[in-house]
Amino acid sequence: MPASKRDQLLATAERLFYEQGFHATGIDRIVAAAGVVRMTLYNHFASKEALVAAVLAARHERFIASLDAATASASPGQVTRALVDAHGNWLERYSQHGCIMAKAMGEFAEHNAEIHALAAAAKTDLLARLEAAVARDGLDHHAGLARRLFVVLEGSNTAVALLGAQTALADTRAVVDTLLATARSETR
Amino acid sequence: MPASKRDQLLATAERLFYEQGFHATGIDRIVAAAGVVRMTLYNHFASKEALVAAVLAARHERFIASLDAATASASPGQVTRALVDAHGNWLERYSQHGCIMAKAMGEFAEHNAEIHALAAAAKTDLLARLEAAVARDGLDHHAGLARRLFVVLEGSNTAVALLGAQTALADTRAVVDTLLATARSETR
DNA sequence: TCCTGTATAGACTGATCTATCTAAATACGG
DNA sequence: CCGTATTTAGATAGATCAGTCTATACAGGA
């Protein structure tokens, strides 16, 4: 079945916002690329900012679902690694040019509190997943291990954009391995 | 002596671009905040994009000077740590709300090649400094150590914006310490 | 077949944007 | 003190922006 006009708009807007930026992408370019008319957009979304919020919410939902699917099927003791790998797969597939949430925070920080909060929540949700993962792996008594991994994964996103996915993800895995090995060796 | 109109414009534009975003900050708001008139801006800069480029270039110059000053006076074997600390100090003082170069890359990626290249060069310059630092510390035979540190420092910037400077910088230092300790233990 | 909801086409408003032009005022160095 | 360069003030152009309105077309279900 063909995607609904609403879904076409969400997908097109997500692509254009990501590639060109939010403020630099006009309504007219979105509707033209989606093959609909301007009133159709305003029939589904109250405003451009509402569209931005819907795009970010939908993308974040997919992101979290992808992470949760990976950790749900992870072997015991491998949950954190599975989460990190799933994060890397996401970057490789959908986030080769920087984090759209970071871009949104940069463009709407002092401009739209709802959008800013939505993007920031996407980040802290990843941190929460890391905390849950290290707990399931029995490493949560290492104070701040999840936060340290969070720093690495955030850097991974930028590094992918600058150095390419292959190099950046290999380096990311190397850092994560070192952190996990150190944590485990201090556990026994 | 009072700052020149040009310097006032650069400083004001840097602040507004950083806080509000590049496209969301209009020329009129910059000149009003700088206390000059629109023609003064166009007398010093050919266009808004030229102003953006000048702002980024000036900021990058200060950033690199700050890093180089720290490594120049570092004790042998402590160059990498000095560089990381200088980077953290910069974040704490001037980059609490995300990296302006990353924001510029996001807003001008498909819009202005010169600005995008300028911002990307700022990032790779940091990587080059890391490579020089690990070399001076005798750790450059650890393939990719500088790149791994680069991933961490990039993540540090995002983490400062999300978790606050104190927490994020402590976590960053912890990760860097682990990486350096592991590299040194593998050296002997 | 009719009815309701959705999409289309396009004109339109009012605001905002970057950039330019001109003429007068001001500052500053020789 | 004079002359040059800078700054000011304000009008203006021309483009683009988000958002609204209306009338028409078309879809699918009762």
Side-chain angles (χ1 to χ4, degrees):
Chain A
M1 57 181 166
S4 72
K5 303 283 181 184
R6 192 188 136 96
D7 289 344
Q8 287 178 40
L9 280 166
L10 279 174
T12 305
E14 179 176 336
R15 179 174 60 83
L16 291 177
F17 285 152
Y18 185 53
E19 291 172 358
Q20 325 248 357
F22 296 91
H23 286 90
T25 302
I27 291 289
D28 286 344
R29 281 229 294 285
I30 296 171
V31 298
V36 301
V37 105
R38 188 169 36 243
M39 270 310 294
T40 301
L41 188 153
Y42 284 101
N43 191 20
H44 288 290
F45 305 96
S47 64
K48 182 186 180 182
E49 298 197 339
L51 173 63
V52 171
V55 163
L56 296 184
R59 184 176 171 106
H60 180 50
E61 197 175 333
R62 271 178 283 138
F63 174 66
I64 288 297
S66 162
L67 297 188
D68 286 351
T71 52
S73 62
S75 321
Q78 298 295 315
V79 179
T80 306
R81 263 311 290 259
L83 180 58
V84 169
D85 286 346
H87 182 264
N89 287 337
W90 175 273
L91 294 191
E92 193 167 18
R93 282 191 221 177
Y94 306 114
S95 192
Q96 296 247 18
H97 305 296
C99 177
I100 196 174
M101 300 297 170
K103 296 186 186 196
M105 290 179 66
E107 290 202 40
F108 293 100
E110 310 228 343
H111 220 257
N112 184 307
E114 182 203 346
I115 293 176
H116 185 265
L118 223 159
K123 297 286 185 192
T124 51
D125 275 7
L126 172 61
L127 175 56
R129 257 70 185 178
L130 281 165
E131 281 164 351
V134 301
R136 282 180 58 194
D137 283 341
L139 298 166
D140 54 332
H141 51 95
H142 289 280
L145 174 59
R147 279 203 321 272
R148 295 198 288 276
L149 291 168
F150 178 70
V151 171
V152 178
L153 293 197
E154 286 301 320
S156 185
N157 206 327
T158 308
V160 164
L162 286 164
L163 309 176
Q166 195 171 352
T167 300
L169 293 181
D171 291 329
T172 302
R173 277 189 288 269
V175 178
V176 169
D177 285 347
T178 302
L179 289 178
L180 290 180
T182 301
R184 289 210 175 89
S185 79
E186 286 171 356
T187 290
R188 70 204 62 198
Chain B
M1 58 180 164
S4 72
K5 303 282 182 185
R6 192 187 136 95
D7 288 345
Q8 287 177 41
L9 280 166
L10 280 174
T12 305
E14 180 177 333
R15 179 174 59 82
L16 291 177
F17 285 152
Y18 184 54
E19 292 173 357
Q20 326 249 358
F22 296 91
H23 286 91
T25 303
I27 291 289
D28 285 344
R29 280 231 293 286
I30 297 171
V31 298
V36 301
V37 108
R38 189 168 37 242
M39 269 311 293
T40 303
L41 188 153
Y42 285 102
N43 189 19
H44 288 289
F45 305 96
S47 64
K48 181 187 179 179
E49 298 197 339
L51 172 63
V52 171
V55 163
L56 296 184
R59 185 178 171 104
H60 179 52
E61 197 175 332
R62 272 178 283 138
F63 174 65
I64 288 298
S66 162
L67 298 188
D68 287 350
T71 53
S73 61
S75 320
Q78 299 295 316
V79 179
T80 306
R81 262 312 290 259
L83 179 58
V84 170
D85 286 345
H87 181 264
N89 287 337
W90 175 273
L91 295 191
E92 194 166 16
R93 282 190 221 179
Y94 307 114
S95 191
Q96 295 246 18
H97 305 295
C99 177
I100 197 174
M101 300 296 171
K103 296 186 186 198
M105 289 180 66
E107 290 202 40
F108 292 100
E110 312 227 340
H111 220 255
N112 185 306
E114 182 203 346
I115 293 176
H116 184 265
L118 223 159
K123 296 288 186 191
T124 52
D125 274 7
L126 171 61
L127 175 56
R129 256 73 185 177
L130 281 165
E131 282 165 351
V134 301
R136 281 180 58 195
D137 282 341
L139 297 166
D140 55 331
H141 50 97
H142 289 281
L145 174 60
R147 277 202 322 271
R148 295 198 287 278
L149 291 169
F150 178 70
V151 171
V152 178
L153 293 196
E154 287 301 321
S156 185
N157 207 328
T158 308
V160 165
L162 287 164
L163 309 176
Q166 195 171 354
T167 300
L169 293 181
D171 291 329
T172 301
R173 277 189 289 268
V175 178
V176 169
D177 285 346
T178 303
L179 289 178
L180 291 180
T182 301
R184 282 199 239 272
S185 79
E186 287 170 356
T187 291
R188 70 204 61 195

